[in-house]
Amino acid sequence: MITVLFGPPGSGKGTQAKLLVEKTFLPQLSTGDMLRTAIGHETSLGKKAKIYMDKGALVPDEVVIELIRERIGARDCQKGFFLDGFPRTLAQAEALDVMLTGVGKNVGSAVLFQIDDSELVGRLSGRRTCLKCHSMYHINTNKPKKPGICDKCNSVLAQRDDDKAVVVQNRLKVYHEQTSPLIDYYKSQNKLVTINAALPSELVFKFLVQALGA
Ligand code: AMP
């Protein structure tokens, strides 16, 4: 089962991907997490990606396509995986189809997390992320047990630079301009599943599991 999860920043794809991993034991492939790890390790790829991410812009297609190409060849991906935040452009979606066709596989479903922009600004500005394991919290709606500390790995929580208000506006603009064309792309392939991402997380998960037969 190969599933694409896409939607605007803050729509809950990452949170739902983690729940799907716990249920199915298939891995979550998050290009955002891969890039943040590269930034944390100060690799040359990380240094290059940071320039784009800090502005809320997309990292060039060829960089993320190569990250995914390397990752999906791994053993733990053979039974399927959840793509969280990839593809984000039509060029990435087409490259993904070509690479999967080459190994006799294909995307099963593409889930759109649908939610109004007005909801997202509050969600993103209150979001806090674990610097180590990338678990996510919210200062009002999903507090950690100890303030500022990750429940799962005891590391420090921080606000992502790109969750700050001025960058969020640009990320939303980039989503509408560059990622929303994926809606028609997957609709035309009969793979689009639309989920109301404004619902509470437990309900979103319930509908997701039903829709995917996970
Ligand atoms: P995310 O954690 O998915 O919200 O991604 C954070 C940032 O990483 C995005 O705003 C982009 O700058 C970059 N990024 C993540 N995935 C991609 C992708 N598929 N294509 C281009 N840039 C990406």
Side-chain angles (χ1 to χ4, degrees), residues 31-32 35-36 53 57-59 64 85-86 88 92 160 162 171:
T31 37
L35 293 167
R36 279 184 288 278
M53 291 167 79
L58 293 186
V59 172
V64 284
F86 181 95
R88 255 178 159 102
Q92 292 176 23
R160 278 169 45 176
D162 61 349
R171 289 168 70 201

Side-chain angles (χ1 to χ4, degrees), residues 7-10 55-58 88-89 115-118 120-121 124 162 164-181:
K55 290 188 287 204
L58 293 186
R88 255 178 159 102
T89 63
I115 181 165
D116 285 346
D117 286 6
S118 54
L120 295 170
V121 179
L124 288 166
D162 61 349
K164 294 182 179 152
V166 39
V167 184
V168 163
Q169 292 302 341
N170 198 37
R171 289 168 70 201
L172 289 173
K173 184 167 170 272
V174 165
Y175 170 77
H176 290 296
E177 287 174 1
Q178 301 192 52
T179 308
S180 65

Side-chain angles (χ1 to χ4, degrees), residues 191-204:
K191 293 180 177 167
L192 187 74
V193 173
T194 303
I195 293 273
N196 177 0
L199 294 172
S201 177
E202 315 78 69
L203 275 183
V204 174

Side-chain angles (χ1 to χ4, degrees), residues 59-80:
V59 172
D61 286 336
E62 60 275 16
V63 173
V64 284
I65 289 169
E66 279 321 303
L67 279 178
I68 287 294
R69 192 191 305 283
E70 281 171 27
R71 183 67 185 88
I72 66 177
R75 205 171 205 194
D76 64 329
C77 290
Q78 298 318 303
K79 289 194 177 144

